[in-house]
Amino acid sequence: MLRSVMSGHTRTEASGQPETEPQKPPFRVLFVCLGNICRSPAAEILFQHAVQKAGLEHSFRADSCGTASYHIGSRPDSRMLAALKRAGYAYGGHRARQFCRADFANFDLIIPQDKSNQQDILSLARTPEEAARVQPMCRWFPPTSDLQEVPDPYYGGESGFDFVVELLAVSTRRLLRELAE
Ligand code: 4NP
């Protein structure tokens, strides 16, 4: 349902019956954090993993970026790659890039990891439609979580990275489940 609301992917004929769409374009999801070296590349990798596991590669595309320019061109933080590896996930070769205005046109759903990322992206939105594409990651946190954003592990220890991987693994699976409905 969310997927059709965000992109208009589900169309209905005058008869009220869903139209057959043989060439439906993939639904494009963009994960955003500050530096694009910890949380958002992890979310991208974990979402892609869930998509592959569900055999839905033809239906979804994912990317990630940061609101800041500090790490443009960098690989994900080695501590995040180690946490992903410990949890059984492989690095897909992402290089950090910065969010840009074109991302509003290039993605159906833009998912900031924390409130600061969300404010930064929304400050660049020019229409209500662009703003509506921005939905916080916490929307898909498990109901048992009382967090409202993905904690930034950058200045902490190993356990913070493990926690973020666990939180994002569950949340990206919940996201995919909703999008695939
Ligand atoms: P991320 O984490 O936004 O999850 O990639 C950070 C990466 C770098 C910095 C802060 C947070 N930094 O200050 O350089």
Side-chain angles (χ1 to χ4, degrees), residues 32-161:
V32 187
C33 62
L34 176 65
N36 192 211
I37 57 170
C38 297
R39 293 165 293 175
S40 63
E44 179 192 342
I45 288 165
L46 293 162
F47 181 74
Q48 294 281 23
H49 186 270
V51 165
Q52 280 164 19
K53 204 171 165 205
L56 293 171
E57 296 94 326
H58 56 286
S59 299
F60 294 96
R61 294 280 178 276
D63 191 13
S64 66
C65 66
T67 54
S69 60
Y70 324 132
H71 298 285
I72 290 173
S74 298
R75 285 159 51 90
D77 190 293
S78 58
R79 297 166 297 171
M80 182 51 86
L81 292 179
L84 285 163
K85 196 170 174 188
R86 280 194 291 280
Y89 301 98
Y91 166 53
H94 181 79
R95 296 285 170 160
R97 73 170 180 89
Q98 190 172 20
F99 183 83
C100 62
R101 279 261 330 133
D103 287 321
F104 285 113
N106 292 335
F107 291 92
D108 301 298
L109 180 58
I110 297 170
I111 305 183
Q113 304 300 294
D114 68 27
K115 290 177 185 168
S116 170
N117 313 148
Q118 184 169 1
Q119 278 167 7
D120 288 343
I121 298 164
L122 287 175
S123 72
L124 296 172
R126 289 189 187 148
T127 64
E129 289 73 24
E130 288 183 351
R133 289 181 176 218
V134 182
Q135 299 284 330
M137 192 76 239
C138 65
R139 183 173 164 171
W140 294 281
F141 284 179
T144 47
S145 172
D146 54 8
L147 290 175
Q148 292 183 345
E149 48 187 14
V150 181
D152 185 351
Y154 187 71
Y155 293 106
E158 201 174 79
S159 63
F161 287 86

